[in-house]
Amino acid sequence: MTAPAQSPKVAALAELAARLPGLRLLTAPADLEHYGRDWTRRWTPAPLAIALPATVEEAQAVLRWANEHGVAVVPSGGRTGLSGGAVAAQGELVLSLERMNRVLGFDPIDRTLTVQAGIALQAVHDAARSHGLIYPVDFAARGSCSIGGNIATNAGGIRVIRYGNTREWIAGLKVIAGNGELLELNRGLIKNSSGYDLRHLTIGSEGTLGIVVEATLRLAEPPPPSQVMLLALPDMAALMQVFALFRARLKLQAFEFFTDIALRHVLAHGAQRALDGEHPFYVVTEFDAADEAAQDAALAAFEHGVNEGWIADGAIAQSEAQAAALWRLREGITESLAPHKPYKNDISLRIGALPAFLDEIQALLGDAYPHFEVVWFGHIGDGNLHINVLKPEGLADAEFIAQCEQVTKLLAAALQRHGGSISAEHGIGLVKKPYLESTRSAAEIALMRGVKQVFDPNGILNPGKLF
Amino acid sequence: MTAPAQSPKVAALAELAARLPGLRLLTAPADLEHYGRDWTRRWTPAPLAIALPATVEEAQAVLRWANEHGVAVVPSGGRTGLSGGAVAAQGELVLSLERMNRVLGFDPIDRTLTVQAGIALQAVHDAARSHGLIYPVDFAARGSCSIGGNIATNAGGIRVIRYGNTREWIAGLKVIAGNGELLELNRGLIKNSSGYDLRHLTIGSEGTLGIVVEATLRLAEPPPPSQVMLLALPDMAALMQVFALFRARLKLQAFEFFTDIALRHVLAHGAQRALDGEHPFYVVTEFDAADEAAQDAALAAFEHGVNEGWIADGAIAQSEAQAAALWRLREGITESLAPHKPYKNDISLRIGALPAFLDEIQALLGDAYPHFEVVWFGHIGDGNLHINVLKPEGLADAEFIAQCEQVTKLLAAALQRHGGSISAEHGIGLVKKPYLESTRSAAEIALMRGVKQVFDPNGILNPGKLF
C-alpha cells in the first residue's frame, strides 16, 4: 500500500508549517476565495494558501521558503486594487500583511510616521491627525486599502493636484526583496545621494520586486480652512477653461470632474441632489478659504466663469455636512458603478494634451460603444481620466470584456500617439498587461525585465503581473 | 617598414571621427585638462578625448561606438561636482553636453520647461522667470552647473526645506542608457503607474546608468515676498531650538547655518560684516513675509528666541541689496574655502538624530583634528551638514588627504550607527566610494551592481565611480 500522492506544492506547504509553527496559515475554501482576489472580479481565486505573518522575520522566512521551493507569492494588502495586481488564480501563496497593521512610531522633529505596511490608509490619516498633522494622500477606498498597496501602485487620488502622489510622501521603506534580502531603503532621510534610489524603484512596482513591510511616511501641516464648490458645466472645453481659471485664482486642494451619467448613478445609489437641472459635466473643487479675501476670490472666479458661459450653475457648501454631501457625489461614483461590472480605464496625459486627445477619443468611443453606457470622471488637473464602460444587462461577462478589450486597443494606440499612459494610478497588474507596450518602449520593458531578474532571480514574486 | 604602433583606443577614436564627421572632438592638452576634472582637484585629468555632441543622435552614436569598442565614457556637465563623479583620469572619452544647452519648450498648461541637459541652472531660472514661474532648486554653483549634473546627483541646495530636491521637479527625462538605447521616461506625466519608474532610478545615478540628454522640469508659482534674517547663536543646541521655533511659526524658504570659522573666511574673501561681536554659530533664514502679520510673526519669533537665550543677536534685511549681502555670508563659503584645499564631508541624518550625532562627532573631530581648522555649515532643516577640513599650509596634499581619510572612516562608522548618509547631495563618485558601505547594505549594493549590469552591460559608463 502507498501513501496518497501529494503535489510538490502541498508538500512544500507542509514543510512551511513545520518550519514556522507560529505562522498563521489559512487553507479553508472561503479564505482562499476571500484573499485570492481584489476588486476586479474577472479571475477565479485559486491560491495554494494564505500566510498571515505577524512580523518582518516571519514574512522574510516565508519569502526564503518560497525561493527554496519555487512557490509563487502574491503580496496582499487591502485588495482594493482595480488591475488584478493582488489576484491569486494560479496556486500562489498569498502573503497578506493584514496582521501587520500597527503604527510603529511618530517623529515630531522629522514629522514622520512609521507604520507596518498592512495598516489602512484611514488609520494613517487618524494617526497623523492625532499629532496635529496630515498624511495628504487620499481617496475613496481609504477605509479598506493598505498603505503597502498604496505604495505598490504609487496611488494618487483626489489631492494629487496639491500634494502629489504616494511617492512624494515616502521617506523610508523596509522591503523584503524577491531574493529574500531585507532592505532598509533611505531610512527617513531628506537628502541622500548615495547611489541608486531603490526606494523609488520599489514604489509602483506592484509587488514584483519586493514586499513592502514597513514605511516611514512624511506628514504635512494641515491646509488652511477650505471651501467645497459644485459646478455644472456645458461641455469639456468649458471644463478646461474653468480649471485654468480656478487654478490661476485659487489655491486648489482638489479639482474633480464627472459626467451626468456618473451623477445619475451616484444619485440612484443614495447620494443627495445638490443642483436642479441636467448638465453634461460637473466639478467638485476644494480650495483654501482661510479668510474673506480668499472666499471673495472664489466667488469672483465663479462669477467670471458664469459670465464667460463656462459655468451653468453651482453650489457652495455652507457647512461640513454640505461639503461632505458634495464630495459624496464624486467619491460615491466607483461604488455606485460596481453592480454594473464596469470595464475600467484609468488613463493619463499631459494636461495640455487632453483637449486633442478627448476630441479623438470621444468620437472613437461613440463609434465603438454606441450600445454601452460610458461613465467619465477623474482628476483633470492631473491629466487623469477614468473611463468606465458599464456592462449591459444580459450580456455575458466574457463577451462584454472581449468587446471592451477591442476598444482598449484603440484607446492604447491613441494614448501612444498623444504621449499618455495606459495606467495613471491603478497599476498594470493583469488587466492592463496586454497594453503595457503602448506606454513603455521595448527598450524600457527590456530594462524592467532585467531589473526584475536582479531583485527576484527565481521569479517568485507576483509572476505574470505587469509583464 | 611598419607603421608606428597605434593603441586600440586611438584607433577607435579615429574610427569615431570617421564615422561621425560632424562631431566636435577635442584632443589638445589644455582641453583634456579642462574637461577631465571637476571641482575636486585630487586626480590628474587624463581623458582620451572630449566629444561635444550637438544633438541627441550624435550623443547616442557616440555611446554606440563606445559599446562597440569598449571605450569608457565620462558624462560631463558643468563639472562643479565635489565627489569626482565627472573626473576622467583613466583614458576615458569625456562626453560633454555643453553644446546642448537650449530651452526646447515651455508648456503653460502643464507648467513645464523642457531643456537640453547641458543648460546651466541659472539659465533655467531665467527661463522660468520669463514665464512668471520659478524652478525652485537653487544653490551657489547655479551659474556654472548644468541641469544634467543636477539630475545625476539629485542636487539639493538651499531651498530643499521648502521645495525638496531636484528629484521632485523632474517630470520627464530623455536618457541614453549605457547599452545605447534612447529612453523617454515619464514624458511629463503627473500620474503614471505603468511599471518601474526608471526616471527616478536614473536621478542620482551619477552617470553610471545612462546619460541624461533632455529634461522636462516642473515649474512652481513664485513664493510670496520674503524677508531674510541673520541670527547669531551661542551653541548647537540653540540652533536646534531656533530651527524648531522658526519652523513652527514661520513659513520657511531657507534655514542655513554656519560657524564663526566659516564667517571669518567669507569675510576675508570680501563679504560684508553684518553683526558686531563674535558668536559660535550663525543662521541665514528666509521666510514668507507677504503682509504685516507675517512680518510681526517673524519679529515675535525672534524676540522669543532672544528671551530664551537661544539668539544672541540678529539683523533683518531692509532691502534686496541687504538681503543679497546676508545671503553672501552663506553662499560665499565654498568659494572662500577653495584656496585652502578643503577636505569635504557632505553628510545627512534625520533631523531628530542630529543632536546625539553632533555630540559624538564634535568630540571625535576635536580629538582627531586638533591641528586642523574645521569649518561647519549646511542645511539643518534637511539634516544636512557640510564639514570642511582645511589643509594647513606646508602639509603635502597626499599626507593631508591620508589623515582626513582616517577620520572619515570614524565619521562613516558614526553615521552608520546613527542611520545617516555619507553623501547628502554631492554624490559618491570617487571621493566617497570607499565609504558607500556605511550608508548602503551589502544586499543593496549587490542589487545596485545588478541594475548597473542591466543598463550598461559593457560597463562603459563612468566606470569606477560609485562602486
Side-chain angles (χ1 to χ4, degrees):
Chain A
M1 218 173 98
T2 54
Q6 205 185 28
S7 87
K9 271 189 187 173
V10 172
L13 191 62
E15 201 272 319
L16 176 65
R19 191 193 291 196
L20 297 174
L23 176 67
R24 190 174 299 173
L25 274 172
L26 308 177
T27 53
D31 291 324
L32 299 185
E33 179 165 347
H34 176 68
Y35 287 95
R37 63 186 192 180
D38 61 12
W39 279 6
T40 58
R41 287 290 185 265
R42 211 187 288 180
W43 291 271
T44 307
L48 169 68
I50 320 302
L52 296 117
T55 64
V56 171
E57 292 69 27
E58 271 192 350
Q60 190 176 16
V62 171
L63 233 62
R64 291 202 162 133
W65 163 86
N67 271 286
E68 288 168 29
H69 292 273
V71 175
V73 173
V74 175
S76 187
R79 290 182 306 288
T80 57
L82 298 166
S83 67
V87 165
Q90 307 278 344
E92 303 95 333
L93 182 83
V94 172
L95 194 145
S96 165
L97 290 148
E98 72 175 31
R99 294 176 69 203
M100 295 175 61
N101 62 356
R102 285 182 300 122
V103 173
L104 298 175
F106 168 67
D107 183 329
I109 301 172
D110 285 82
R111 291 179 174 163
T112 56
L113 192 73
T114 298
V115 297
Q116 293 182 306
I119 193 170
L121 177 58
Q122 181 66 60
V124 170
H125 285 174
D126 294 345
R129 282 275 179 201
S130 76
H131 297 291
L133 296 167
I134 63 163
Y135 176 69
V137 179
D138 195 19
F139 41 91
R142 63 183 75 85
S144 317
C145 68
S146 76
I147 201 78
N150 294 178
I151 293 165
T153 55
N154 185 26
I158 57 179
R159 310 276 170 183
V160 171
I161 195 171
R162 177 69 158 266
Y163 294 106
N165 298 291
T166 296
R167 181 182 301 287
E168 271 75 55
W169 300 93
I170 306 300
L173 284 182
K174 206 173 271 189
V175 175
I176 306 168
N179 65 10
E181 296 280 359
L182 181 65
L183 311 174
E184 295 190 42
L185 302 175
N186 201 57
R187 290 170 284 110
L189 299 172
I190 298 165
K191 285 181 172 177
N192 183 13
S193 183
S194 65
Y196 310 155
D197 198 323
L198 304 182
R199 163 189 52 153
H200 279 293
L201 188 58
T202 305
I203 298 168
S205 66
E206 302 188 45
T208 64
L209 298 180
I211 298 181
V212 175
V213 289
E214 288 178 19
T216 295
L217 311 172
R218 289 190 213 294
L219 305 181
E221 304 223 11
S226 59
Q227 281 189 323
V228 178
M229 219 184 240
L230 175 69
L231 306 171
L233 313 176
D235 52 42
M236 188 67 96
L239 179 61
M240 298 300 297
Q241 298 282 11
V242 172
F243 169 66
L245 170 69
F246 273 51
R247 184 179 65 168
R249 300 229 195 149
L250 309 178
K251 197 147 187 212
L252 298 175
Q253 294 183 21
F255 191 92
E256 300 281 305
F257 90 99
F258 49 94
T259 58
D260 51 351
I261 304 181
L263 180 66
R264 185 162 9 105
H265 281 278
V266 81
L267 292 176
H269 208 74
Q272 206 179 327
R273 178 178 290 279
L275 292 175
D276 295 329
E278 299 255 324
H279 305 274
F281 289 92
Y282 295 89
V283 164
V284 170
T285 179
E286 186 164 348
F287 44 83
D288 291 3
D291 50 31
E292 250 178 78
Q295 292 166 25
D296 290 349
L299 283 179
F302 175 79
E303 278 163 23
H304 182 90
V306 170
N307 292 339
E308 293 283 349
W310 303 330
I311 300 177
D313 199 359
I316 190 158
Q318 304 292 344
S319 67
E320 283 200 22
Q322 283 182 15
L326 293 186
W327 261 116
R328 190 174 167 197
L329 297 175
R330 166 63 186 87
E331 291 212 297
I333 295 171
T334 295
E335 203 185 326
S336 76
L337 299 181
H340 304 278
K341 297 194 176 176
Y343 180 91
K344 289 174 176 291
N345 292 290
D346 159 42
I347 63 172
S348 66
L349 295 108
R350 287 178 298 104
I351 310 169
L354 280 174
F357 173 82
L358 286 168
D359 281 351
E360 189 174 324
I361 208 66
Q362 282 178 306
L364 175 77
L365 292 176
D367 289 350
Y369 292 143
H371 49 307
F372 289 165
E373 198 173 35
V374 181
V375 182
W376 296 70
F377 59 99
H379 325 274
I380 213 79
D382 315 327
N384 181 191
L385 307 174
H386 297 291
I387 309 170
N388 281 232
V389 185
L390 307 192
K391 192 178 80 62
E393 278 194 47
L395 185 61
D397 287 9
E399 177 55 27
F400 172 63
I401 289 171
Q403 290 187 31
C404 289
E405 299 268 321
Q406 288 306 313
V407 182
T408 303
K409 278 184 199 158
L410 303 175
L411 185 68
L415 281 167
Q416 193 163 19
R417 283 194 300 279
H418 292 270
S421 172
I422 193 70
S423 176
E425 55 183 356
H426 293 173
I428 298 295
L430 292 168
V431 173
K432 298 303 174 195
K433 191 167 94 162
Y435 314 102
L436 181 61
E437 287 78 5
S438 68
T439 302
R440 309 296 295 264
S441 69
E444 284 181 70
I445 293 171
L447 293 173
M448 283 164 57
R449 286 187 182 277
V451 168
K452 163 75 174 173
Q453 178 69 24
V454 169
F455 275 71
D456 182 21
N458 297 317
I460 59 148
L461 266 187
N462 230 0
K465 313 291 167 59
L466 187 51
F467 38 46
Chain B
M1 221 173 98
T2 54
Q6 203 184 28
S7 86
K9 272 188 186 172
V10 172
L13 191 63
E15 200 271 321
L16 176 64
R19 191 193 291 197
L20 297 173
L23 176 67
R24 190 173 299 173
L25 274 172
L26 308 177
T27 53
D31 291 324
L32 299 184
E33 179 165 347
H34 176 67
Y35 288 95
R37 62 186 193 180
D38 60 12
W39 278 7
T40 60
R41 286 292 185 263
R42 212 188 286 181
W43 291 271
T44 307
L48 169 68
I50 320 301
L52 298 116
T55 64
V56 171
E57 292 69 27
E58 271 192 349
Q60 190 176 16
V62 171
L63 233 62
R64 290 202 162 132
W65 163 88
N67 270 286
E68 288 168 29
H69 292 273
V71 175
V73 172
V74 175
S76 188
R79 290 182 305 289
T80 58
L82 298 166
S83 66
V87 165
Q90 307 278 343
E92 303 95 333
L93 181 83
V94 173
L95 194 144
S96 165
L97 290 148
E98 72 176 30
R99 294 176 69 203
M100 294 175 61
N101 63 356
R102 284 180 302 122
V103 173
L104 298 175
F106 168 67
D107 183 328
I109 300 171
D110 286 83
R111 291 178 175 166
T112 56
L113 192 73
T114 298
V115 297
Q116 293 182 306
I119 192 170
L121 178 57
Q122 181 66 60
V124 170
H125 286 173
D126 294 345
R129 284 274 177 201
S130 77
H131 296 291
L133 296 167
I134 63 163
Y135 176 70
V137 178
D138 195 19
F139 40 90
R142 63 184 76 84
S144 316
C145 68
S146 75
I147 200 79
N150 294 179
I151 292 165
T153 56
N154 185 27
I158 56 179
R159 308 278 170 181
V160 171
I161 196 171
R162 177 70 158 267
Y163 295 106
N165 299 290
T166 296
R167 180 182 300 289
E168 270 75 55
W169 300 94
I170 306 300
L173 285 182
K174 206 174 271 189
V175 175
I176 307 168
N179 64 11
E181 295 281 357
L182 181 65
L183 313 174
E184 295 190 44
L185 302 175
N186 202 56
R187 290 170 284 110
L189 299 172
I190 297 165
K191 285 180 172 179
N192 183 12
S193 184
S194 65
Y196 310 155
D197 197 322
L198 304 182
R199 163 189 53 153
H200 279 293
L201 187 59
T202 305
I203 298 169
S205 67
E206 302 187 45
T208 64
L209 297 181
I211 298 180
V212 174
V213 289
E214 288 177 19
T216 296
L217 312 172
R218 290 191 212 294
L219 305 181
E221 304 222 11
S226 59
Q227 281 189 324
V228 179
M229 219 184 239
L230 175 69
L231 306 171
L233 313 176
D235 52 42
M236 189 66 97
L239 179 61
M240 297 301 296
Q241 297 283 11
V242 173
F243 169 66
L245 170 69
F246 273 51
R247 183 179 66 168
R249 300 227 195 151
L250 309 178
K251 195 144 188 214
L252 298 176
Q253 293 183 22
F255 192 92
E256 300 281 304
F257 89 99
F258 48 94
T259 59
D260 51 352
I261 305 180
L263 180 66
R264 183 160 12 102
H265 281 279
V266 81
L267 291 176
H269 208 74
Q272 205 180 329
R273 178 177 290 278
L275 292 176
D276 294 329
E278 299 255 323
H279 305 274
F281 289 92
Y282 296 88
V283 164
V284 170
T285 179
E286 186 163 350
F287 44 83
D288 291 3
D291 50 30
E292 249 180 78
Q295 292 166 24
D296 291 348
L299 283 178
F302 175 80
E303 278 162 23
H304 182 90
V306 170
N307 292 339
E308 293 283 347
W310 302 331
I311 300 177
D313 200 358
I316 191 158
Q318 304 292 345
S319 67
E320 283 200 22
Q322 283 181 14
L326 294 186
W327 261 116
R328 189 173 169 197
L329 298 175
R330 166 62 186 88
E331 291 212 297
I333 295 172
T334 295
E335 201 185 326
S336 75
L337 300 181
H340 304 278
K341 297 193 176 175
Y343 181 91
K344 289 174 177 291
N345 292 290
D346 160 41
I347 64 172
S348 65
L349 295 107
R350 286 177 297 106
I351 310 168
L354 280 174
F357 174 82
L358 286 168
D359 281 351
E360 189 174 325
I361 208 66
Q362 283 179 306
L364 175 78
L365 292 176
D367 290 350
Y369 292 143
H371 50 306
F372 289 165
E373 199 172 34
V374 181
V375 183
W376 296 69
F377 58 98
H379 325 274
I380 214 79
D382 314 326
N384 180 191
L385 307 174
H386 297 291
I387 310 171
N388 281 232
V389 186
L390 306 193
K391 191 178 81 64
E393 278 193 47
L395 185 62
D397 286 9
E399 177 55 27
F400 172 64
I401 289 171
Q403 290 187 32
C404 289
E405 299 268 320
Q406 288 307 314
V407 182
T408 303
K409 279 185 198 158
L410 302 175
L411 185 68
L415 281 166
Q416 193 162 19
R417 282 195 300 280
H418 292 269
S421 173
I422 193 70
S423 176
E425 57 183 354
H426 293 173
I428 297 294
L430 292 168
V431 172
K432 298 302 175 196
K433 189 167 95 163
Y435 314 102
L436 181 62
E437 286 79 5
S438 68
T439 302
R440 309 296 295 264
S441 69
E444 285 180 70
I445 293 171
L447 292 174
M448 283 163 56
R449 285 186 183 278
V451 168
K452 163 76 174 173
Q453 178 69 23
V454 169
F455 274 71
D456 182 20
N458 297 317
I460 59 148
L461 265 187
N462 229 0
K465 312 291 168 59
L466 188 50
F467 39 47

